[in-house]
Amino acid sequence: MEFWRVPLDAHEIEVTKGIVYIIEDRCKGCGYCIEFCPRQVLEFSPGFNVKGYHPPAAVKPKECVNCHYCEIICPEFAIYSVEAPFSDQPAGVLP
Amino acid sequence: MIETASRIKQPEHPLDDLLRTDRIPHIWCPGCGIGTVFSSCLIAMKNSGLNLQKMAMVSGIGCSGRAAGYVAMDSFHTTHGRAIPFATGLKLGNPELNVVVFSGDGDLFAIGGNHFIHAARRNMDLTVICVNNLNYGMTGGQMAATTPHLAKTTTTPMGNPEAPFNLPLLAYAAGATYISRWTILHTRDLTRSIDTALKRKGFSFIEVLSPCPVNYGRRNKEKAFDSLKLYQDKGIIKNGANPSEIEMDFEKGITLGDFLDVDRPTCIEQYDKTCRLI
Ligand code: SF4
Ligand code: SF4
Ligand code: SF4
């Protein structure tokens, strides 16, 4: 994340890591999760789902901070995040 | 190659236990905001710690009215405009129930407008969530009682000549004891407001502005993202604002926030005190 001024305690703050999951066939391609993810984790995938929409894909899965914003703004119950098992574990990889 | 986390064996969606998953994907159009309001409502219910066996959802007719059919708890899809009277009946018959009305602006304020004002006047113990998409979406985008002045709909091709309702002000004048307005962009505030409403007694009203890109948006050159941008640019959060000064004007600004939370005896309390003397 880019800061205009780095907070003094930035190095002490432990940022939660998340794993973002996508249920591709529920997605209707509105793009809300992609647009409003604070860490730009998501992009439209080039492939189609069963309904012919482009679901999102996690292009920067390690950046996910488990904020659940995609989960709550998605009108389709198609995306959600869970806390990564270890905070130093890169997101998207299970131990 | 794109790395997807989804290849790993997925846990279930955290709301799947509250959804009739065999009916998902739902019928709402791509970019429609109703699903977001519904999801916010389910998250608030789930995290409230309240007994979901003692909760019921009632909807009327219209796009938003479909919600009752997707929730895996006691729910009731009623006739047009009559969600509030059915909900009132449920509550009077079983006062232990926590009754949530989830419906649209057309259902609650046009055909059901009279029921709304009287339930608010009586301070019926209900949580009413109104998805306001500014038109009649399901029937093809006709003008509604909430359509902004000059907005185009199928029945106002030259622009709406009338003035719309300002819903929180109407709720306030009628006697509601909890009033909020949010948009689907303010999902966290919305979830918190629904949580507060579920846990308090009395008539709670929450309006949620939500895009209808297919009908309202298309005729007003407003894509789903344009609506969200409008909410972001024109939304002014003023918690505790005086309901008579709340704006609903897409040019000047839309006042958002928790406007009112006051205590007043509920309909059932007043009835018991007055008519059940022994
Ligand atoms: S949980 Fe937050 S950071 Fe992770 S993908 Fe969703 S919106 Fe982005
Ligand atoms: S918000 Fe949901 S429906 Fe919209 S693109 Fe993302 S996953 Fe798909
Ligand atoms: S018609 Fe409008 S309100 Fe109804 S589901 Fe479609 S976008 Fe949503």
Side-chain angles (χ1 to χ4, degrees), chain B residues 80-86 88 104-124 126 128 136 145 165 167 170-171 173-175 203:
Chain B
H80 201 357
R82 316 298 172 220
I84 289 181
F86 277 92
T88 301
D105 52 299
D107 187 72
L108 287 169
F109 288 95
I111 187 162
N114 219 15
H115 298 302
F116 181 91
I117 57 174
H118 289 288
R121 171 179 65 79
R122 296 183 181 120
N123 199 22
M124 253 333 285
L126 302 173
V128 178
Y136 289 107
F165 272 142
L167 301 181
L170 176 70
F203 190 88

Side-chain angles (χ1 to χ4, degrees), chain B:
Chain B
M1 200 186 105
I2 294 168
E3 236 183 303
T4 48
S6 55
R7 264 185 272 112
I8 302 161
K9 191 180 173 309
Q10 294 195 357
E12 272 195 348
H13 190 284
L15 291 174
D16 272 6
D17 54 342
L18 276 183
L19 285 172
R20 299 189 197 198
T21 45
D22 54 328
R23 296 180 141 212
I24 302 290
H26 49 60
I27 59 143
W28 297 317
C29 311
C32 175
I34 300 172
T36 305
V37 187
F38 188 49
S39 157
S40 233
C41 180
L42 296 187
I43 291 174
M45 286 171 162
K46 189 166 176 162
N47 294 347
S48 67
L50 298 166
N51 182 358
L52 299 182
Q53 300 293 326
K54 295 244 185 272
M55 208 174 266
M57 186 185 271
V58 185
S59 294
I61 298 295
C63 297
S64 310
R66 301 298 293 241
Y70 296 124
V71 66
M73 61 168 71
D74 288 341
S75 63
F76 203 173
H77 190 182
T78 70
T79 46
H80 201 357
R82 316 298 172 220
I84 289 181
F86 277 92
T88 301
L90 276 182
K91 182 72 192 176
L92 289 176
N94 186 355
E96 279 193 352
L97 279 184
N98 200 331
V99 186
V100 178
V101 174
F102 188 104
S103 213
D105 52 299
D107 187 72
L108 287 169
F109 288 95
I111 187 162
N114 219 15
H115 298 302
F116 181 91
I117 57 174
H118 289 288
R121 171 179 65 79
R122 296 183 181 120
N123 199 22
M124 253 333 285
D125 197 358
L126 302 173
T127 298
V128 178
I129 300 168
C130 172
V131 182
N132 185 357
N133 60 10
L134 311 175
N135 76 139
Y136 289 107
M138 182 168 270
T139 46
Q142 292 82 2
M143 182 207 120
T146 46
T147 306
H149 180 52
L150 299 180
K152 293 204 167 76
T153 65
T154 37
T155 46
T156 56
M158 295 162 77
N160 179 16
E162 299 179 9
F165 272 142
N166 189 348
L167 301 181
L169 179 56
L170 176 70
Y172 177 67
T177 48
Y178 180 88
I179 303 170
S180 292
R181 177 198 275 150
W182 297 109
T183 78
I184 65 150
L185 206 56
H186 301 80
T187 47
R188 292 198 199 281
D189 299 291
L190 171 62
T191 309
R192 186 185 35 73
S193 289
I194 298 175
D195 178 78
T196 312
L198 290 175
K199 289 174 180 163
R200 69 185 296 287
K201 61 185 175 69
F203 190 88
S204 307
F205 172 62
I206 300 167
E207 175 188 7
V208 194
L209 297 174
S210 162
C212 169
V214 169
N215 276 313
Y216 183 84
R218 184 156 52 101
R219 295 192 176 82
N220 291 286
K221 301 202 167 50
E222 201 181 300
K223 298 214 163 74
F225 271 117
D226 300 334
S227 307
L228 297 197
K229 188 91 183 48
L230 262 183
Y231 301 159
Q232 195 170 21
D233 294 347
K234 299 291 173 188
I236 306 160
I237 299 178
K238 280 192 198 160
N239 288 315
N242 181 339
S244 63
E245 288 162 11
I246 292 169
E247 299 263 13
M248 179 65 190
D249 185 325
F250 284 96
E251 305 276 307
K252 280 197 270 172
I254 315 156
T255 319
L256 306 171
D258 294 318
F259 305 129
L260 188 77
D261 187 353
V262 292
D263 221 8
R264 184 159 75 81
T266 64
C267 177
I268 294 180
E269 285 168 357
Q270 292 285 62
Y271 180 83
D272 287 351
K273 212 166 102 194
T274 317
C275 308
R276 289 196 183 163
L277 297 174
I278 320 256

Side-chain angles (χ1 to χ4, degrees), chain A residues 27-33 44 56 74-76 78-79:
Chain A
C27 172
K28 288 183 193 154
C30 68
Y32 291 169
C33 57
F44 279 118
C74 172
E76 305 291 335
I79 187 166

Side-chain angles (χ1 to χ4, degrees), chain A residues 20 36-39 41-42 63-70 81:
Chain A
V20 58
F36 295 108
C37 167
R39 306 301 288 261
V41 170
L42 306 159
E63 293 285 309
C64 175
V65 289
N66 197 30
C67 70
H68 300 289
Y69 195 74
C70 53
S81 67

